[in-house]
Structures are given as structure tokens and as C-alpha cells.
Amino acid sequence: MNDSEKVLLVYSSKTGNTRKVAEGIAQGLGEVARIIPIEDVPDEGAPVMLLGFWVDKGTADAKSLAYIRKLEGRKVGLFGTLGAYADSEHARETAETMKALVSEKNTCLGCFLCQGKIDLALTEQFKQLPPGHPHAMDEERMKRHLEAAKHPDQADIEAALAACKAMLEAARA
Ligand SMILES: Cc1cc2nc3c(=O)[nH]c(=O)nc-3n(C[C@H](O)[C@H](O)[C@H](O)COP(=O)(O)O)c2cc1C
């Protein structure tokens, strides 16, 4: 199989969570996929793509957003990591936002999200906020940060791989 026939798996990752998931997916897909960090991606892309992003303020990170704006007429499956729980309203809304964005000029095959550990610097910033601030650290938020610190784990990677396989199956239909 030559490179042009392969699924292009592009990922953006600041602290390594999304890279870990992307590498797990690429390993599971084997030779049908070509994995490339977003910084090195060729402009032309591929007909079928998987794009991994990290969640920044309820949407994808800036590099992923800029890349998505360049895509047209592709079949794109999304996966990403975020600090919030994967089954939270925030995760659901973020997935919907991203699917709608990709669908403007492409066919979106789906969006898988899992938790990823939150940068310690961000946790420290939250701790400095005064009580009552919408992002102030409280017991519930601290619990979420501690849970996020365990992710992505092997189960997340397996779930991401299964979700991407289903998306690629849909692309063939
Ligand atoms: C600047 C910044 C903004 C973030 N915004 C959100 C957010 O809006 N919602 C969320 O659930 N997580 C948010 N996070 C957490 C990251 O999405 C999460 O830690 C992700 O796994 C990081 O992925 P990476 O390691 O691939 O860079 C934010 C993290 C940073 C550093």
C-alpha cells in the first residue's frame, strides 16, 4: 500500500495526551494508516483522514482549527482529549461543535473524546482564583483534575481505536 492510499492520521498535542492516543490508534490500525504530527503535515492531506485534537476552551486547539479550515471534500474522523469527564455535557457539546465545524466542507465520520491529564500549571492557575469565580478550584473540580491525571489509559486507547475503526468502516460504506 503506498502512502497516498493510506488513511492520514494527523494529531495535535501540547502535553502528550493526544499523541499517546494517536500512537495507540496508529499501532492498532497498522499499515493502513500514516501518522503525522500536525506541525509536519503536508498541505494536500488525504481523502480519508483521522484528526486528533486537544480541547482548548470548549473547542479544538488553534493548530487543529487552522488545519480544519483548510480541509475540503474529505472524510474526516475526529478524536480528542480533554480535562472534563468524557461523559460530561461539556464533552458532548465540544464534540457537537467540532462535528459541525468539520461538516461545513467535509463529511464528518464521528468524534471520540476521552479524558487527558491537565497541565499542572493550569491546575495551579485555577487554585489561585478567588472562591465564587466560575473556574475556582473546589472539591469537585480537584476530584476531576485527579481523575484526569490517570488518563489517557489503556482502556481509553482501546476505545479510541474501536471508535476510529467504526469511523473508517463508515467511510467505506
Ligand atoms: C490552555 C488550556 C485550555 C484548556 N481548555 C479545556 C477546556 O475548555 N475543556 C476541557 O475539558 N479541558 C481543557 N483543557 C485540558 C486539555 O484539553 C487536556 O489536558 C488535554 O488532554 C491536553 O492534551 P495534550 O496533552 O494532547 O496537549 C485545557 C488545557 C489547557 C492547557
Side-chain angles (χ1 to χ4, degrees):
M1 191 181 250
N2 63 40
D3 276 358
S4 63
E5 294 165 338
K6 292 186 179 184
V7 171
L8 185 62
L9 193 167
V10 177
Y11 68 91
S12 174
S13 184
K14 190 176 173 211
T15 64
N17 298 328
T18 314
R19 186 182 66 231
K20 188 173 167 190
V21 176
E23 287 174 350
I25 295 168
Q27 199 180 13
L29 291 178
E31 67 139 23
V32 300
R34 183 162 64 116
I35 180 170
I36 309 186
I38 204 159
E39 293 81 8
D40 300 341
V41 85
D43 270 352
E44 67 268 25
V48 181
M49 308 192 45
L50 292 170
L51 176 65
F53 62 91
W54 60 275
V55 176
D56 185 351
K57 297 174 205 72
T59 184
D61 63 278
K63 285 181 186 172
S64 295
L65 288 179
Y67 188 63
I68 288 168
R69 282 187 204 106
K70 291 197 272 183
L71 296 178
E72 223 177 303
R74 314 293 164 94
K75 292 182 178 177
V76 185
L78 295 169
F79 64 94
T81 67
L82 81 173
Y85 296 118
D87 61 358
S88 63
E89 187 60 18
H90 178 61
R92 203 190 57 76
E93 282 174 5
T94 304
E96 291 307 317
T97 301
M98 292 309 301
K99 284 195 276 186
L101 186 65
V102 166
S103 299
E104 284 175 17
K105 293 194 227 154
N106 305 274
T107 302
C108 187
L109 303 168
C111 180
F112 171 88
L113 291 176
C114 69
Q115 236 183 343
K117 62 187 78 58
I118 300 164
D119 192 0
L120 275 179
L122 196 65
T123 302
E124 283 310 312
Q125 266 180 38
F126 284 141
K127 281 186 185 167
Q128 303 306 319
L129 296 171
H133 186 284
H135 288 122
M137 191 55 86
D138 55 19
E139 208 178 312
E140 188 49 42
R141 187 160 275 124
M142 197 61 220
K143 204 172 123 198
R144 180 165 59 74
H145 281 231
L146 291 173
E147 179 57 35
K150 301 177 201 157
H151 296 268
D153 58 16
Q154 197 48 37
D156 294 324
I157 291 167
E158 281 165 22
L161 174 60
C164 287
K165 280 183 172 171
M167 290 186 222
L168 296 178
E169 201 55 49
R172 274 193 285 272

